[in-house]
């Protein structure tokens, strides 16, 4: 087996794993989208558990979190800065001035924008430092790269999906 | 830059990303462990939301799911076959015959066993077919490999953590 062949194999593996992480992210986006397009609007006004966030609030939170990937991954500034506070604050502290349909449209748009920008990122881009870690810290912890952020934000969707399922009939999900 | 150097870089990147996925998994295990070691036993008897699973049931479910990685990833048979039904069945259909402390001990042991086995896996092992996909399907969808299973089971823990947080004071988690 030639050296060139070995290089191609290794580079192909790296590229494949990055695509797997992207595919993992896309799957989570699809599942959240399925939730927010599969029920009537009354469902989304409900709290996922007593005294906890409503599904509608969680949608604003998810949009704000995804939008925050733009500055964090060096992909530009937020598209919806007015939603930025929803990334951190719990419900009750913030008033939501958008309708469900407006939020849903932002959800589609932000994920579409991210896909376009992700498509242009190289292996080295994914393995580079994200903007919430200093150059110094990154030298010591090279895993704090952009790919890691994507993996974690994919899991972040799964976390909230674990809560959103409480609004749908019990038989359908654990 | 020599060909050999390029090969080493590419192989190093692949290894690093696999380590990142393992680190992602380990972080989720740590967070679940922190939940099950941080509160009093009464907390774990409670349902995470009205009519939903108790934390104790979810611990059995998480152990069974992790244990199921052994046959699925070709790492041996289940260590706790008596818990296997908890991987699929919802509460109410199954009776739990273990105490909380017994379950907690199984949780520690299964995760320790998995780490030891994961340590021995190579890049090619992680990129190989898992046992719930046929050879034919795997040819068409090479992403259905062992690494993908690990990533998804990491996210699976996050899903249930999104539910378990409902048992702890609201200020502590979104």
């Amino acid at each position: 087996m030639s050296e060139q062949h070995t290089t191609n194999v290794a580079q192909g593996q790296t590229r494949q794993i990055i695509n797997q992480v992207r595919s993992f992210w896309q799957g989570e986006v699809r599942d959240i989208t399925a939730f927010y397009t599969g029920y009537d609007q009354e469902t989304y006004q409900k709290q996922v558990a007593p005294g906890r966030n409503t599904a509608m609030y969680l949608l604003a939170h998810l949009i704000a979190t995804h939008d925050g990937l733009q500055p964090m991954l060096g992909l530009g500034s937020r598209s919806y800065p007015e939603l930025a506070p929803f990334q951190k604050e719990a419900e009750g502290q913030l008033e939501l001035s958008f309708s469900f349909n407006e939020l849903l449209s932002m959800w589609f748009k932000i994920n579409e924008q991210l896909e376009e920008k992700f498509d242009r990122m190289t292996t080295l881009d994914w393995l580079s430092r994200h903007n919430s870690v200093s150059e110094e810290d990154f030298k010591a912890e090279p895993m704090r790269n952009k790919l890691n952020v994507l993996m974690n934000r994919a899991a972040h969707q799964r976390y909230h999906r674990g809560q959103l399922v409480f609004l749908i009939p019990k038989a359908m999900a654990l």
Side-chain angles (χ1 to χ4, degrees), chain A:
Chain A
M1 197 151 45
S2 75
E3 194 64 46
Q4 177 64 50
H5 176 77
T6 313
T7 304
N8 290 345
V9 168
Q11 288 175 341
Q13 285 171 341
T14 309
R15 174 53 53 192
Q16 180 185 326
I17 303 178
I18 289 172
N19 283 337
Q20 282 185 222
V21 177
R22 285 195 59 189
S23 174
F24 168 45
W25 159 271
Q26 288 157 357
E28 301 302 320
V29 170
R30 260 196 309 275
D31 287 341
I32 293 287
T33 303
F35 172 80
Y36 284 109
T37 54
Y39 304 92
D40 53 36
Q41 297 210 7
E42 257 170 59
T43 303
Y44 309 124
Q45 309 302 325
K46 289 183 191 156
Q47 292 180 328
V48 294
R52 302 288 171 162
N53 294 310
T54 63
M56 177 126 163
Y57 179 89
L58 287 175
L59 181 55
H61 169 67
L62 287 162
I63 296 164
T65 305
H66 289 202
D67 200 9
L69 287 175
Q70 298 198 85
M72 197 170 176
L73 302 183
L75 302 171
S77 49
R78 282 181 184 266
S79 299
Y80 307 111
E82 64 277 27
L83 282 184
F86 288 87
Q87 184 163 350
K88 296 276 178 214
E89 300 296 320
E91 194 154 30
Q93 300 174 265
L94 289 172
E95 206 168 317
L96 199 51
S97 57
F98 296 96
S99 71
F100 175 76
N101 284 333
E102 284 169 327
L103 287 177
L104 194 60
S105 154
M106 292 181 201
W107 170 253
F108 281 113
K109 274 186 210 150
I110 188 61
N111 291 316
E112 206 178 282
Q113 277 178 12
L114 287 173
E115 284 305 315
E116 281 167 18
K117 292 183 175 187
F118 293 165
D119 280 343
R120 292 197 290 270
M121 287 172 71
T122 64
T123 297
L124 281 181
D125 288 335
W126 284 113
L127 297 181
S128 68
R129 179 173 73 87
H130 63 72
N131 290 331
S132 302
V133 62
S134 71
E135 285 189 38
E136 212 168 23
D137 288 348
F138 184 63
K139 264 185 212 161
E141 298 173 275
M143 285 196 190
R144 300 178 68 180
N145 54 33
K146 291 171 181 169
L147 191 66
N148 226 33
V149 173
L150 190 68
M151 202 150 57
N152 270 287
R153 291 299 182 280
H156 173 257
Q157 296 176 76
R158 188 84 69 105
Y159 179 96
H160 289 298
R161 193 153 60 82
Q163 304 174 334
L164 294 169
V165 292
F166 291 157
L167 295 177
I168 60 183
K170 202 175 170 181
M172 295 174 68
L174 186 82

